Each structure stands twice: as C-alpha cells, then as structure tokens.
Amino acid sequence: MIAATYVLVVVAAVTVIAIIAVIVTVISVIAVIVTVVAAIVTVVAVITVITVIAVVAVVAITVVTVSVIVTITITIAVAVAVAIINVIVAVVAITVIAVVAIAIAVVVITVIVIIIAVIIIVCHGKISPFRYHLFY
C-alpha cells in the first residue's frame, strides 16, 4: 500500500510537472507569437515612415521644381515684355526725331525760299541777274 501511495504521489507529481510544462510551452508560444507580431508591426512602421518620407521628398521636389519653372517663366516673360517696351519706345523716339527733323528741314527750306524770293523781288528792276529774264 505504501508503494502504491508512492506511485500515486510520483504520478501526481509527474502530472503536475507535465501540466506546468504545457502551461510554460503555451506561454512560450504566445511570447513567440507576440514577438513575431511586434517584429511585423515594427517592419510595417519602418516601411510606413520610409514611404511617408519618400512621398514628402517627392512632393517637396515637385514643389521646388514647379516654383523654379514658374520663376523662370515669369522672369522670361518680364524680360520679353521689357524688351518689347524698349523696342516700342525706340521706334517712337526715332519716329519723333524723324518728324522733328523733317519739320525743321521744311521750315529751313521754306525760309530759304522766302529769302530768295524776297531777294528776287527786292532786286528786280535794280541790279538783278534776273532783270532781263523775268516778266517778259
């Protein structure tokens, strides 16, 4: 009977140890699953952060590129506009100078013609090279 009691005690002890081993194994499996899930979450987080950084970089590069293109376009447009305005101002200035020069020439020629006419009229009948050739 004592031997049977020892056997029962040993069986009970082995059973308790086996149950504890199963519980430890389950806890270990859960720990491994949690570790794997944490690693997956970490990888996903890292990939997400890298993706966000890449998207932000692409957006920043795009914004800078568009800004540079717009700046260059505006600069070229302003330069062309200034050049066109300069050409218009030059053409107007040349036209004004030409008109003034023609007006001065007309006035000078008119004055010269008037002076010649006055000389001819005053000198007619007196000492004039035209005396014998005019009014026949």
Side-chain angles (χ1 to χ4, degrees):
M1 185 78 186
I2 295 182
T5 306
Y6 286 127
V7 170
L8 284 178
V9 169
V10 169
V11 169
V14 169
T15 304
V16 169
I17 292 173
I19 292 172
I20 291 173
V22 168
I23 292 172
V24 169
T25 302
V26 169
I27 291 173
S28 295
V29 168
I30 291 172
V32 168
I33 292 172
V34 168
T35 304
V36 169
V37 169
I40 291 172
V41 168
T42 302
V43 169
V44 169
V46 168
I47 291 173
T48 303
V49 168
I50 291 172
T51 305
V52 168
I53 290 172
V55 168
V56 168
V58 167
V59 168
I61 290 170
T62 304
V63 167
V64 168
T65 303
V66 169
S67 174
V68 167
I69 290 171
V70 168
T71 302
I72 291 172
T73 304
I74 290 173
T75 303
I76 291 172
V78 168
V80 168
V82 167
I84 291 171
I85 290 170
N86 285 343
V87 168
I88 292 171
V89 167
V91 168
V92 169
I94 291 170
T95 304
V96 168
I97 291 171
V99 168
V100 169
I102 291 170
I104 290 172
V106 167
V107 168
V108 168
I109 291 170
T110 304
V111 168
I112 291 172
V113 168
I114 291 172
I115 290 172
I116 292 173
V118 166
I119 290 172
I120 291 173
I121 292 170
V122 168
C123 291
H124 184 69
K126 298 181 184 176
I127 305 169
S128 172
F130 305 105
R131 177 176 180 185
Y132 302 104
H133 303 289
L134 294 176
F135 308 114
Y136 280 112

